[in-house]
Amino acid sequence: MSNTKVSLPYCVWRDGRPRFVPSPALRKLGYKSKDLKDHRGNWYSLTDTVRFSEAIAEEVEIKREAITSLKGKRKRHHSFEQKQSRNDILVSDILQKWRAAQDLAQHPVEKTRDWYRKNVELLEKAEPEIWNMPVNRLRRPDAYDLYERFLHQRGLPMSRALISTMRRCWSWSANKGYVTNNPFSGLRMQTPKPRLRVGTIKEMQILVSVADEIGRPEIGDSIVLALFTGQRQGDRLCLVEDSRREGWVRLRQSKTGTLVAIPELPELSARLAAGRERRAGWKVAYPHILIDEVKGQPWHPSGDHYRKVFACVRDAAAKRHPSLKGFRDQDLRDTAVTWLANAGCTVPEICSITGHSIVSANTIMKHYLAATDDQANSAIAKLSRWIETKGGLLSDGEQSDNDEAT
């Protein structure tokens, strides 16, 4: 029996499994190689692969026609206002106008602006048809098709990032009167599974001790600070000590001025005092609680270098305790919130430490607090004590009957 060879555009077979391999021309359009699997991780069948190949070929042809059409037109430079008066605003015009407004207002923060910028640049590169589409022609089906294409080609996180950026831009544009609707709102996108990683006391002990052992005690300080305050990484890196009074320490975020007030805790106070002592002889006395003690300056607010150093500490700790492999700094916040709940703290009490708002507390707690044995035991113990204060659940007669039966 002879083997039948199947040849499909942009698709190859390796050990009987299909893979999408774009040509150099397609790579310039933003396409990347990938295994052909469905959302469950199953390999495409021959029929699925044929459909994928046909869809890609059709999509590429549309993109090429759009690029050719754009190149064939004589370039005219019109101001945004001129295009607006002629009702000739393109999607690219709206995005560029919005990006300029973001930079001018310095809001949101620089890291978020960079995130928006990368998403806009990706759209320009990967979707020339959408990029050059008149705004008044962009409809909800176009927005959803864009989401599905990115979901299929680049995955859920990137597709959600792009749509989130477009939705934010269109919301701003509607407020400015440039558009009348927001086709990117309410698309019912897939939601990624929430990450919940709660560290154990033993794991945190090892993480802190390894940070000290390898000469990065400031990372140990950051870990302890996170566990006792539940503050996000970015907030911790810009904390300065504001004041101490009657057993309380007040920390202030240097960028926003937000105050975090917590009772003096021996372990946290000891870590912070040790950090001040290590830096006592420095020529420059920085007010920040956390300092990059190798570079001799505060951590950069972006946290990029901090995350690299934290990863080095984590990897070293994982050699001693393998369960720490993959543990992230962001997991410290989840750990702090869950430990507070396991200790019997109420939602308002947790919020008073972590800075969450009471209004959003229930939603946030649903994400953070997985059911644990500690919480179950605490809940039953509280219920039992409350019933006892009310005289017990069973009447005296029923209680006597049960005693006789036993």
Side-chain angles (χ1 to χ4, degrees):
M1 179 182 294
S2 61
N3 294 327
T4 302
K5 292 185 177 181
V6 179
S7 179
L8 298 173
Y10 316 121
C11 297
V12 299
W13 298 83
R14 296 177 180 174
D15 298 326
R17 295 173 175 175
R19 181 173 175 80
F20 172 55
V21 181
S23 63
L26 264 63
R27 291 182 183 277
K28 290 182 179 180
L29 292 176
Y31 292 95
K32 295 183 179 180
S33 301
K34 65 175 182 178
D35 293 333
L36 295 182
K37 299 179 180 180
D38 60 22
H39 66 283
R40 296 179 179 175
N42 299 318
W43 290 93
Y44 277 10
S45 65
L46 176 59
T47 301
D48 294 332
T49 306
V50 170
R51 290 174 179 169
F52 173 84
S53 177
E54 292 174 345
I56 287 293
E58 182 179 353
E59 184 177 297
V60 169
E61 185 63 27
I62 292 174
K63 288 187 177 183
R64 285 174 173 168
E65 289 177 357
I67 294 173
T68 301
S69 175
L70 181 63
K71 289 181 178 179
K73 295 180 180 179
R74 188 174 66 172
K75 293 184 178 179
R76 296 180 180 179
H77 299 283
H78 297 291
S79 68
F80 185 88
E81 289 70 21
Q82 289 173 324
K83 291 183 178 182
Q84 186 180 13
S85 65
R86 298 199 315 268
N87 197 25
D88 193 27
I89 303 176
L90 303 180
V91 169
S92 57
D93 296 324
I94 288 287
L95 287 166
Q96 290 167 351
K97 187 79 170 177
W98 173 64
R99 285 281 301 113
Q102 296 291 303
D103 289 338
L104 182 64
Q106 292 291 301
H107 180 78
V109 294
E110 181 181 354
K111 187 175 181 180
T112 305
R113 292 202 310 275
D114 288 342
W115 185 75
Y116 286 145
R117 175 183 54 77
K118 291 177 182 178
N119 292 332
V120 170
E121 291 175 351
L122 178 60
L123 179 76
E124 180 182 9
K125 181 179 179 181
E127 293 287 338
E129 183 182 13
I130 294 290
W131 182 257
N132 296 294
M133 178 182 288
V135 169
N136 56 18
R137 282 180 47 197
L138 185 63
R139 297 289 182 265
R140 189 182 184 85
D142 300 312
Y144 195 77
D145 287 345
L146 175 65
Y147 159 69
E148 285 195 319
R149 284 197 299 276
F150 263 69
L151 178 64
H152 185 70
Q153 297 170 9
R154 300 172 183 268
L156 180 58
M158 192 164 290
S159 63
R160 288 181 60 88
L162 178 65
I163 297 302
S164 176
T165 300
M166 300 296 282
R167 183 172 59 242
R168 184 70 178 267
C169 172
W170 251 249
S171 178
W172 174 86
S173 300
N175 290 336
K176 301 291 287 186
Y178 302 144
V179 298
T180 57
N181 68 327
N182 192 340
F184 298 97
S185 179
L187 291 185
R188 295 185 178 275
M189 298 182 289
Q190 293 182 27
T191 303
K193 294 181 179 179
R195 173 187 171 87
L196 180 65
R197 171 65 164 92
V198 178
T200 65
I201 292 180
K202 180 64 174 179
E203 287 177 326
M204 297 303 97
Q205 289 174 340
I206 292 175
L207 204 55
V208 172
S209 64
V210 169
D212 293 340
E213 290 171 10
I214 67 175
R216 299 307 306 236
E218 69 270 40
I219 298 297
D221 296 347
S222 179
I223 294 168
V224 174
L225 184 62
L227 293 174
F228 282 116
T229 67
Q231 296 295 299
R232 295 182 180 88
Q233 176 196 115
D235 295 334
R236 269 179 281 134
L237 297 185
C238 64
L239 281 177
V240 298
E241 186 171 316
D242 181 83
S243 61
R244 291 171 180 268
R245 186 175 60 187
E246 298 176 355
W248 285 74
V249 58
R250 287 170 172 79
L251 308 177
R252 176 169 49 83
Q253 294 177 14
S254 60
K255 292 183 67 175
T256 65
T258 302
L259 282 173
V260 178
I262 58 174
E264 288 266 22
L265 298 168
E267 292 182 81
L268 178 57
S269 296
R271 292 292 311 193
L272 299 184
R276 290 193 298 271
E277 186 176 344
R278 289 194 305 270
R279 303 189 293 268
W282 287 17
K283 294 182 179 179
V284 180
Y286 294 102
H288 296 72
I289 298 296
L290 301 177
I291 299 287
D292 181 345
E293 297 183 8
V294 172
K295 292 188 174 182
Q297 61 188 22
W299 296 96
H300 192 279
S302 69
D304 293 337
H305 181 59
Y306 171 86
R307 283 188 290 274
K308 292 179 181 179
V309 179
F310 179 89
C312 291
V313 172
R314 185 267 325 279
D315 292 344
K319 294 179 180 179
R320 182 181 304 177
H321 206 291
S323 68
L324 283 167
K325 184 177 181 180
F327 190 87
R328 304 177 188 173
D329 182 273
Q330 71 185 58
D331 298 329
L332 294 171
R333 183 167 167 86
D334 293 8
T335 301
V337 173
T338 306
W339 282 11
L340 285 166
N342 286 344
C345 298
T346 64
V347 169
E349 288 171 338
I350 293 173
C351 292
S352 69
I353 296 296
T354 65
H356 290 107
S357 67
I358 299 295
V359 175
S360 61
N362 288 331
T363 301
I364 296 171
M365 295 305 117
K366 181 179 179 181
H367 165 70
Y368 279 138
L369 302 181
T372 65
D373 291 344
D374 287 342
Q375 292 171 32
N377 289 332
S378 176
I380 291 299
K382 288 180 179 179
L383 176 62
S384 178
R385 288 195 297 270
W386 180 80
I387 291 175
E388 289 177 1
T389 62
K390 300 300 180 181
L393 180 62
L394 302 179
S395 65
D396 292 340
E398 291 173 322
Q399 184 68 47
S400 299
D401 291 342
N402 283 340
D403 291 341
E404 292 177 1
T406 56

